[in-house]
Amino acid sequence: GGGRGPAGPPYPPENCPAVLGPDWDFAAPAALATTADGRDVIIAAQKQGLIWAVNPDNGQVLWKQDVAREIAGGRGETLFGGAVDSEKVYFGLISSAHLALDLKTGEEVWYTPLVPPQGRETQRGVVGAVTLIPGVLLSGARDGMIRASSSRTGQLLWEFDSRQEVTTVNGVQLVPVNTTPAV
């Protein structure tokens, strides 16, 4: 036990447990949403994939939904921020998927697995907060793909492979990570 903080005194041994549990805190910021009928709801996601809806006036849990598809070794599913509109809550999963829940009930509305390009099967997962524009959910993933899905159905609308060589306006050639430059 005991370690040293960045610029401070040693941590007390009682703050260093012998057995570490899973890392299942709330990593992403909560979102304040308003349902179509005007009710305010706070949406918060725990890393393990448990989504909570809470009444901001009194702290009452309105619903909670487990969206995890796979959790190996305490690995999280919803590490990054979601998005909300007046009908749904949207998240990208570390197990490579987009999903939507009904804002009022927490029931799953749709789930869309995301397929990595050939050769990048081990580089899975939506690794940033999703973005919502009218009708479209956008995400970036560890496999280098930027994807757009219908916020109504979850259907994949398009995807762009960002892992490409690029020559900048001043002539510098940028090569993506994990690739070999052309000879």
Side-chain angles (χ1 to χ4, degrees):
R4 188 165 289 281
Y11 294 126
E14 61 270 16
N15 288 348
C16 302
V19 178
L20 297 176
D23 182 15
W24 287 354
D25 58 297
F26 290 83
L32 178 62
T34 303
T35 62
D37 61 1
R39 187 175 66 178
D40 286 340
V41 180
I42 294 176
I43 301 296
Q46 280 183 274
K47 285 182 183 176
Q48 77 264 36
L50 191 57
I51 313 298
W52 296 79
V54 177
N55 181 331
D57 296 327
N58 59 20
Q60 174 191 11
V61 174
L62 302 171
W63 55 259
K64 63 181 176 178
Q65 183 67 267
D66 186 352
V67 299
R69 294 310 200 269
E70 60 181 65
I71 299 175
R75 188 176 105 129
E77 274 283 48
T78 49
L79 300 183
F80 304 100
V84 295
D85 60 23
S86 63
E87 297 176 358
K88 296 182 200 78
V89 177
Y90 308 88
F91 280 94
L93 302 181
I94 293 298
S95 61
S96 285
H98 290 158
L99 66 83
L101 304 176
D102 183 281
L103 180 60
K104 282 182 160 182
T105 66
E107 293 299 316
E108 189 172 291
V109 177
W110 54 257
Y111 169 84
T112 303
L114 304 173
V115 180
Q118 186 173 1
R120 300 184 206 164
E121 292 83 359
T122 61
Q123 299 164 347
R124 302 171 54 214
V126 176
V127 291
V130 295
T131 299
L132 186 65
I133 61 174
V136 181
L137 180 70
L138 299 161
S139 72
R142 184 175 285 128
D143 61 12
M145 303 302 288
I146 298 169
R147 295 180 175 92
S149 295
S150 164
S151 61
R152 189 174 60 80
T153 66
Q155 176 185 358
L156 187 64
L157 302 173
W158 57 260
E159 56 187 358
F160 174 77
D161 189 350
S162 69
R163 201 176 285 181
Q164 302 178 33
E165 287 187 23
V166 175
T167 302
T168 65
V169 293
N170 62 347
V172 175
Q173 187 173 19
L174 302 176
V175 179
V177 178
N178 298 332
T179 62
T180 306
V183 178

